Amino acid sequence: MVKKYGFIGAGNMAEAMMKGMITSGVCTAEDLIASEVVPERREYVARTLGIAVTADNVEVVREARNIILAVKPNIVAIVLDELKPLLGGDHLVISIAAGVKISFIEAHLNWGVRVVRVMPNQPCLVGASASAFALGKSARREDKDTVQNILDSVGVAFVMDEKLLDAVTGLSGSGPAYIYLVIEALADGGVLAGLSRDVAQTLAAQTVLGAAKTVLETKGHPAQFKDMVASPAGTTIEGLRVLEEAAVRGAFIDAVDAAAKRSAELGKS
């Protein structure tokens, strides 16, 4: 049976994408095949998702026309060189390898293979990814729709010029780490004020989740909601004063900018 989607690599991100695709109805488990070199991982994915698995990358390409490249960046060239003889204009290659440019991927493939580069982020693991993607020279309109449907099944996604993916890396790619730091710090503050660790961490995480949902679902500006919480001479404005004195806002801006610049540097190497 010919498969609709084939994954080269079945790590955590690939597993999250496959799970989202199945759960949302983008495809069924019978539509998927994945290759994985680690036997234990291969068996786990087959057992939990009910998909076909193999140790052979070539088998995946022979079975599917939409290929999701989910391997470490340092072995992308090796994998593509192996698969090049089998990939043609009827194949779509979707790469989630961080920092690997479309031009690099296309250079290791035959002319006409359609390529899309995706920058997903870690919350893909819980179906809450914030992703972006860019189209290669031979990609078609229907390829954009295919990738959009896949990524929408595990969060939200935006198509854009490849040159903007470094900015996405600095913001949503690295951003979860910044927010985990915030959650940890808020929880520490709660513990300092007398709360138990479990309660403080849950309250901190739920507070971040609630604030994010408020912005996303109302489409309002974050400053609008900040002002609603900060009443005159109250507790919140006092806390905000401390944050402003510590230049927290500027530090976050600089962190995104620094990560974006680092992404651009890595892309050139």
Side-chain angles (χ1 to χ4, degrees), residues 1-7 14-23 26-35 45 49-54 60 63-64 66 68 150:
M1 176 182 176
V2 176
K3 304 295 182 181
K4 192 172 181 181
Y5 299 97
F7 279 75
E15 178 191 355
M17 291 179 69
M18 290 187 282
K19 182 178 179 181
M21 292 164 69
I22 295 169
T23 302
V26 168
C27 65
T28 66
E30 289 73 26
D31 292 324
L32 289 165
I33 183 172
S35 60
V45 170
L49 297 180
I51 68 168
V53 295
T54 177
V60 172
E63 289 284 333
N66 298 306
I68 295 87
I150 292 173

Side-chain angles (χ1 to χ4, degrees), residues 4-162:
K4 192 172 181 181
Y5 299 97
F7 279 75
I8 305 294
N12 289 332
M13 194 71 77
E15 178 191 355
M17 291 179 69
M18 290 187 282
K19 182 178 179 181
M21 292 164 69
I22 295 169
T23 302
S24 67
V26 168
C27 65
T28 66
E30 289 73 26
D31 292 324
L32 289 165
I33 183 172
S35 60
E36 173 57 50
V37 295
V38 180
E40 295 80 9
R41 182 68 186 173
R42 194 163 60 241
E43 294 165 7
Y44 166 80
V45 170
R47 184 175 67 255
T48 58
L49 297 180
I51 68 168
V53 295
T54 177
D56 186 4
N57 295 335
V58 170
E59 184 180 349
V60 172
V61 175
R62 285 177 173 157
E63 289 284 333
R65 289 294 173 265
N66 298 306
I67 307 299
I68 295 87
L69 189 63
V71 298
K72 298 294 184 183
N74 62 317
I75 64 169
V76 166
I78 297 172
V79 171
L80 291 179
D81 290 344
E82 173 195 15
L83 300 177
K84 180 178 179 178
L86 300 168
L87 291 168
D90 57 343
H91 286 98
L92 168 62
V93 174
I94 304 166
S95 171
I96 64 171
V100 181
K101 292 185 177 296
I102 291 172
S103 59
F104 180 88
I105 297 170
E106 290 177 335
H108 286 268
L109 295 172
N110 296 307
W111 174 256
V113 179
R114 294 125 58 202
V115 175
V116 176
R117 176 186 168 191
V118 176
M119 179 62 226
N121 73 346
Q122 190 215 27
C124 176
L125 301 178
V126 292
S129 181
S131 306
F133 64 100
L135 307 178
K137 294 177 182 177
S138 300
R140 305 168 185 167
R141 181 186 297 272
E142 56 264 34
D143 298 331
K144 171 187 174 295
D145 295 337
T146 295
V147 175
Q148 188 77 55
N149 287 338
I150 292 173
L151 296 178
D152 282 348
S153 74
V154 289
V156 298
F158 299 91
V159 62
M160 59 185 64
D161 291 340
E162 186 181 22

Side-chain angles (χ1 to χ4, degrees), residues 183-197 199-201 203-204:
I183 292 172
E184 183 184 29
L186 288 173
D188 284 347
V191 172
L192 179 64
L195 298 175
S196 70
R197 172 62 61 182
V199 168
Q201 182 168 305
L203 287 175

